[in-house]
Amino acid sequence: MDTGLNLRPIHEVIADALVVVVFEDQRPDIPAAKEWIAEVYDSGEFKGEKQQRVTLHRPPGMKARRLVLAGAGKRSEFDPAAVRRFAGTLVRAMKSPAIKRIALIVEESAKRADAVTAAVEGALLGVYEPDRYRTDPKKDECRLESFAVVAPGGNSALEEAATRGRILGESQNLARDLANEPSNRLTPTALAQRAVEVAAAHGLKYEVLDRDRMRQLGMGALLGVAQGSAEPPALIVMHYTPEGGGGGSERLGLVGKGVTFDTGGISLKPSDKMDHMRWDMCGAAAVIGAMDAIAQLKPSIPVTALIPAVENMPGSRAQRPGDVVTTLSGKTVEVLNTDAEGRLILADALTYARRLGCTHLVDAATLTGAIVVALGNVFTGAFSNNAELLDKVMAAAEAEGEKFWRMPLTEDYKEQLKSPFADLPNIGTRAGGAITAAWFLKEFAEETPWVHLDIAGTAWVEEAKPFVAKGATGVCVRAFANLATGW
Ligand code: BES
Ligand code: MN
Ligand code: ZN
């Protein structure tokens, strides 16, 4: 879908639907449609409440085919997050073979760059459907071709805002696309291939480490998880370097859990909802999506992405509960539960990130069911060993309308990670499961400032919402991109 600004005066905007955002406390002032507007208000049909919409066909004196008043509720509540949801809801609700081009008048807000960005993002996120493998020929009939924000005259700040919205929306949809791929089609090898395509498209340097290379380096934890599957593992590395090299000594490392399917391994999961485990690579998808955005937004900090990609299967070569593996860091781990595989692969990826010179680390992982118990499907859990970096990540998420919640990571919880057979076990007790998982990772981040984001509850939605389809959400893409551009 094309997105951007439409710079024409309102009566000259060409569109199938010219949509006016209307707040509860104000009647829109559109001279050409004055009588109609008086009628819909006087009849009580329309008050500007959320989700309300009325349509005038062939508005006199205007080039648009339809004039639509769309209720947006209270003006004071119309922040960028609300604009994003509004635009998403709008494009989903207006789906029709007759409407291919939508132009949106955000009224005064159109003068606000952040509202323009959010509107474009919301529209892109709203039109996305995870229907790639449906062969129904009718499915494309209602596909929207263009979405424009009306800004007569325009200016360069608004142009930039629209471009940023397009980049972030498209990159987030790229992450959703990757994440929604079924596991028979998106193996670790295929995931690496897709990452390489993204890197190549934007001229990013990249490298994919195979099993032999992992053996040479000594990535025993990553290899242990991979050994139960016929699909070979891959460790994907991508580098973004700012023009001129960036100069400074800092390098941001983004690490994403890429378990293309998590059966649990020998500690097999129950079959109920096991299909959800195709989404166990949403952390990886977020990092790839973020790199796609970062390559285009060109922040001044260098960024390295690391994605350990594996399939966790209970094959005849699979690791067993009780096995002891030696991680890249040299620390040994007693694998008490093969279903706690995410932390194992992330352990080696975090160590490797430090070796590659990352000075700040942020990981995203669908790591624990426990975080879903704690925060539901609303907030991503944020854990850290460094208050300053955590503040930065929280601020970046907030600016992008992503909900992150600070979780504790004090010494108290470390007690649980003791093993008589190795340096540490890969699980604690049931109590505080998301926190002990984070503690395990912390042992591998060591002294490097690090933030861990447990996205198990926020990486996908089980039911479609008015503004977004069912499936992967692309959580963390905008937050990561903002973290880099705002650094
Ligand atoms: N991928 C799962 C976590 C998960 C569960 C994500 C449900 C989304 C929904 C992870 O690999 C896992 O299996 N974690 C275990 C850890 C346990 C064995 C300590 C869990 O949360 O049950
Ligand atoms: Mn698991
Ligand atoms: Zn998992």
Side-chain angles (χ1 to χ4, degrees):
M1 181 174 76
D2 285 334
T3 62
L5 297 181
N6 188 321
L7 307 182
R8 293 170 184 244
I10 288 168
H11 63 275
E12 279 182 21
V13 170
I14 296 170
D16 299 316
L18 175 60
V19 183
V20 187
V21 173
V22 183
F23 300 107
E24 277 173 19
D25 54 6
Q26 152 240 29
R27 278 190 193 200
D29 176 28
I30 300 170
K34 210 172 171 167
E35 278 172 34
W36 173 69
I37 288 171
E39 206 167 299
V40 294
Y41 271 87
D42 295 346
S43 66
E45 189 181 343
F46 183 85
K47 298 192 180 82
E49 287 165 8
K50 275 185 198 166
Q51 314 268 1
Q52 279 188 333
R53 269 194 327 278
V54 285
T55 302
L56 174 66
H57 289 256
R58 298 270 171 211
M62 301 179 89
K63 291 209 170 135
R65 287 173 174 255
R66 295 171 190 77
L67 179 65
V68 177
L69 304 186
K74 297 202 169 57
R75 182 191 293 272
S76 59
E77 290 167 9
F78 206 56
D79 60 3
V83 176
R84 200 177 289 109
R85 274 194 304 272
F86 174 92
T89 306
L90 183 77
V91 297
R92 292 183 73 74
M94 291 192 58
K95 259 188 200 161
S96 141
I99 296 174
K100 298 284 183 203
R101 300 163 300 177
I102 293 181
L104 180 69
I105 305 175
V106 204
E107 290 242 283
E108 282 197 282
S109 321
K111 297 187 191 115
R112 264 174 35 207
D114 58 358
V116 171
T117 303
V120 172
E121 285 168 2
L124 282 164
L125 299 173
V127 292
Y128 175 89
E129 289 293 342
D131 58 3
R132 167 181 306 236
Y133 297 114
R134 288 180 52 191
T135 59
D136 177 359
K138 283 194 181 153
K139 76 170 191 200
D140 286 328
E141 264 180 21
C142 300
R143 206 137 282 185
L144 199 59
E145 284 165 11
S146 75
F147 178 88
V149 179
V150 180
N155 64 50
S156 61
L158 292 183
E159 287 289 356
E160 232 171 82
T163 302
R164 184 179 172 93
R166 175 181 59 73
I167 292 170
L168 291 175
E170 288 179 353
S171 297
Q172 191 170 342
N173 282 345
L174 166 72
R176 294 166 80 191
D177 243 350
L178 286 171
N180 284 330
E181 283 288 338
S183 303
N184 59 329
R185 293 173 186 269
L186 197 87
T187 59
T189 307
L191 181 60
Q193 186 53 43
R194 297 285 288 269
V196 163
E197 283 166 21
V198 169
H202 301 299
L204 301 180
K205 286 210 182 108
Y206 63 87
E207 191 186 358
V208 180
L209 282 64
D210 63 8
R211 201 189 312 249
D212 286 343
R213 186 81 186 108
M214 293 175 198
R215 276 208 192 100
Q216 278 173 0
L217 289 163
M219 297 180 165
L222 177 43
L223 287 166
V225 176
Q227 75 190 35
S229 172
E231 291 295 337
L235 177 59
I236 304 154
V237 183
M238 295 188 262
H239 299 288
Y240 161 77
T241 309
E243 261 163 57
S249 55
E250 293 181 319
R251 173 172 287 275
L252 176 62
L254 300 177
V255 184
K257 172 179 173 182
V259 176
T260 61
F261 195 80
D262 181 13
T263 65
I266 297 299
S267 312
L268 194 64
K269 286 185 180 296
S271 56
D272 185 42
K273 295 192 180 172
M274 206 206 269
D275 63 289
H276 287 189
M277 287 302 115
R278 94 180 77 164
W279 286 308
D280 211 17
M281 37 62 71
C282 281
V287 169
I288 296 170
M291 290 305 276
D292 183 66
I294 286 168
Q296 297 174 75
L297 294 169
K298 303 193 191 307
S300 54
I301 178 150
V303 185
T304 293
L306 295 102
I307 294 150
V310 294
E311 187 180 55
N312 189 22
M313 295 287 273
S316 62
R317 307 292 309 254
Q319 66 181 347
R320 294 136 292 244
D323 281 4
V324 174
V325 295
T326 303
T327 63
L328 178 62
S329 71
K331 287 182 181 158
T332 55
V333 176
E334 185 188 12
V335 182
L336 282 174
N337 190 319
T338 64
D339 197 10
E341 84 297 341
R343 62 197 78 179
L344 292 170
I345 67 171
L346 290 168
D348 280 346
L350 289 168
T351 303
Y352 195 58
R354 298 179 69 235
R355 292 217 182 147
L356 291 181
C358 294
T359 56
H360 297 76
L361 295 169
V362 183
D363 78 71
T366 46
L367 204 64
T368 66
I371 199 70
V372 192
V373 175
L375 300 176
N377 303 106
V378 180
F379 280 85
T380 290
F383 304 80
S384 182
N385 62 1
N386 183 284
E388 201 185 324
L389 181 61
L390 182 57
D391 283 346
K392 269 192 177 153
V393 171
M394 295 299 291
E398 163 110 44
E400 295 295 339
E402 293 207 43
K403 291 182 170 158
F404 289 8
W405 195 263
R406 286 172 206 249
M407 299 289 288
L409 194 56
T410 53
E411 294 285 329
D412 311 85
Y413 296 93
K414 197 184 168 184
E415 305 265 291
Q416 292 190 21
L417 291 182
K418 288 207 175 100
S419 162
F421 302 103
D423 296 337
L424 67 167
N426 75 329
I427 55 167
T429 63
R430 263 173 58 86
I435 307 173
T436 44
W439 246 109
F440 183 92
L441 298 181
K442 183 171 183 259
E443 294 286 340
F444 297 89
E446 300 192 37
E447 300 311 313
T448 306
W450 152 86
V451 170
H452 158 58
L453 301 166
D454 195 335
I455 58 171
T458 49
W460 68 87
V461 291
E462 283 198 44
E463 288 304 328
K465 299 199 171 134
F467 51 90
V468 40
K470 173 176 175 156
T473 58
V475 67
C476 287
V477 169
R478 298 200 312 274
F480 284 177
N482 187 299
L483 179 66
T485 57
W487 199 272

